[in-house]
Amino acid sequence: MIFYLKTSFRRFLYFLILLLFVNNISAQWTSGYVLHFRHLKSVQMLDYNTIILVGGNENNDEISTIYRSVNGGETWNVISEDFSPWLISVKSINMTDAVAVGWHGNVKKSVDRGETWQDIALPENAANRSYNSVFFVDENIGFAAGGNQSNDSIQTIIKTTDGGNSWSLVYEELGYWLKSIYFVNENIGFAVGENGVLLKTLDGGVAWDEITLPSNISQINFNDVYFVDENIGWIVGGNKSNDSISTIAKTTNGGQDWEILIDELGGELNKIEFASPTLMLTVGDKSKIFRSSDGGNSFIEYVIPLEYDDYYDLYSLHFLNNHAGIIVGEWGIVYKYFNSE
């Protein structure tokens, strides 16, 4: 009888510890929605409390929306919402300034941590293009990439040297439009786009050379590019049509050669980022998430430990570190990660 009680108590204790562990893991993730349920295309965390979201609606009366939280994503304020082309990408320059870019020449800048935004005028040709990505090398030098998707598809890159107050057209060619741009330093940069487009510059955006990808991913739509130095980088994307595909490729020699890490049926991937020197996450359509715990050498599928019935297209993520991060997507979905340990 004593042995039975001891065994039962041990089993109960084990169950209690397991239950507490599972609840603790689940408690690290919370989910919610922003007001008006606009599609959220990009997110930037300035610190643990101040977070900026941009997006809107592509169709049905184009809407451009900016949200801001000052309490770590507990509540969201609608900072700007108007009938204009939606915003696709936002990037913080420092702890106060940020720039957002979108379609049909929609470019905005904030100098007060996202509380107010001013429209930025672009040169005539650049003002007619749509921008999918903005990146800053430092507080002054930045780039935005996009072009036209249809009607003589065009690749366009613009550059700023004064923190986003003014922009100049540095690259424009016929070709599949660009979806993401990333610079390792003020000279070396990469841009990716639809149908396997990969461009590289060695002179700060003056000249761009196209890199040929392996034949089995040469027609993939690539939505994001990320480099940790001039040699090691990743591109992610896939294919929405027919059988949807998730693709991740890695280079260790500056884009000359690529190793395909993931190329399988699943939602097209939209964004990739490090949460720590070893932890890397990429998000995509149909709630697809891949996670790497070895610095991006290998990836496994990851499911956010929350109960939900719907599958959302996830467009962007930003992590301050491995303790705090945000994932956003369609219909205003926001997944927040916080671990105080």
Side-chain angles (χ1 to χ4, degrees):
M1 181 66 176
I2 295 176
F3 174 78
Y4 173 78
L5 289 174
K6 286 182 178 180
T7 302
S8 299
F9 178 76
R10 283 197 299 268
R11 289 176 177 174
F12 172 75
L13 185 61
Y14 172 78
F15 173 77
L16 182 61
I17 293 172
L18 179 62
L19 182 63
L20 289 173
F21 175 76
V22 171
N23 286 339
N24 182 57
I25 292 297
S26 298
Q28 294 174 358
W29 285 98
T30 56
S31 64
Y33 297 88
V34 295
L35 295 171
H36 306 160
F37 303 99
R38 305 300 183 207
H39 300 310
L40 302 176
K41 300 295 288 184
S42 186
V43 53
Q44 280 285 282
M45 300 183 69
L46 302 186
D47 53 41
Y48 285 104
N49 293 311
T50 308
I51 308 166
I52 300 170
L53 310 177
V54 303
N57 282 346
E58 177 184 2
N59 302 311
N60 301 324
D61 295 328
E62 283 184 318
I63 295 175
S64 171
T65 309
I66 301 174
Y67 297 92
R68 179 174 180 254
S69 176
V70 293
N71 55 12
E74 293 298 321
T75 58
W76 298 95
N77 297 318
V78 180
I79 299 300
S80 172
E81 186 166 66
D82 55 52
F83 290 104
S84 63
W86 64 343
L87 295 167
I88 303 297
S89 178
V90 62
K91 190 70 174 180
S92 58
I93 303 174
N94 50 41
M95 292 303 294
T96 59
D97 297 3
V99 171
V101 302
W103 286 11
H104 306 301
N106 192 4
V107 177
K108 300 178 184 295
K109 181 178 179 180
S110 173
V111 296
D112 55 9
R113 297 172 64 79
E115 186 173 355
T116 61
W117 295 79
Q118 299 296 321
D119 291 328
I120 302 296
L122 298 180
E124 183 176 353
N125 286 346
N128 296 323
R129 308 299 181 232
S130 294
Y131 298 95
N132 296 309
S133 176
V134 61
F135 183 87
F136 276 82
V137 180
D138 54 34
E139 292 190 357
N140 295 309
I141 301 174
F143 296 83
N148 281 345
Q149 187 178 26
S150 58
N151 300 325
D152 293 331
S153 182
I154 295 173
Q155 303 169 349
T156 305
I157 298 174
I158 56 176
K159 180 179 181 179
T160 179
T161 57
D162 59 7
N165 294 314
S166 63
W167 296 80
S168 60
L169 183 66
V170 295
Y171 177 84
E172 183 156 83
E173 296 288 342
L174 291 177
Y176 296 99
W177 74 338
L178 303 173
K179 301 298 293 293
S180 179
I181 192 165
Y182 192 98
F183 270 73
V184 177
N185 52 48
E186 65 181 49
N187 293 315
I188 301 175
F190 299 84
V192 295
E194 293 187 343
N195 207 42
V197 168
L198 173 60
L199 304 177
K200 180 178 181 179
T201 181
L202 297 174
D203 55 12
V206 176
W208 293 82
D209 295 319
E210 187 164 357
I211 295 176
T212 301
L213 293 171
S215 59
N216 47 348
I217 60 170
S218 62
Q219 295 182 331
I220 292 293
N221 294 326
F222 286 105
N223 297 316
D224 199 21
V225 53
Y226 190 105
F227 273 74
V228 293
D229 57 37
E230 62 184 59
N231 293 311
I232 301 174
W234 297 259
I235 52 178
V236 300
N239 192 338
K240 291 183 186 293
S241 61
N242 299 326
D243 293 326
S244 182
I245 296 173
S246 304
T247 305
I248 306 173
K250 179 183 179 181
T251 181
T252 58
N253 57 7
Q256 182 176 344
D257 300 295
W258 292 87
E259 176 188 3
I260 301 170
L261 302 180
I262 297 288
D263 192 39
E264 61 184 48
L265 293 178
E268 181 176 332
L269 300 176
N270 297 314
K271 191 72 175 176
I272 188 167
E273 184 175 294
F274 270 101
S276 74
T278 57
L279 179 60
M280 199 174 199
L281 293 168
T282 178
V283 300
D285 295 350
K286 302 178 182 178
S287 290
K288 181 66 70 174
I289 303 175
F290 287 99
R291 180 180 186 271
S292 172
S293 58
D294 58 7
N297 293 317
S298 62
F299 288 82
I300 60 172
E301 191 167 352
Y302 177 75
V303 177
I304 295 175
L306 293 172
E307 292 185 2
Y308 53 88
D309 298 324
D310 297 320
Y311 286 90
Y312 297 94
D313 289 347
L314 303 176
Y315 298 130
S316 184
L317 76 163
H318 189 213
F319 276 70
L320 286 178
N321 48 47
N322 60 345
H323 297 292
I326 300 284
I327 297 174
V328 298
E330 65 177 345
W331 304 118
I333 186 67
V334 177
Y335 295 113
K336 183 177 69 173
Y337 178 85
F338 182 73
N339 178 10
S340 59
E341 295 180 358

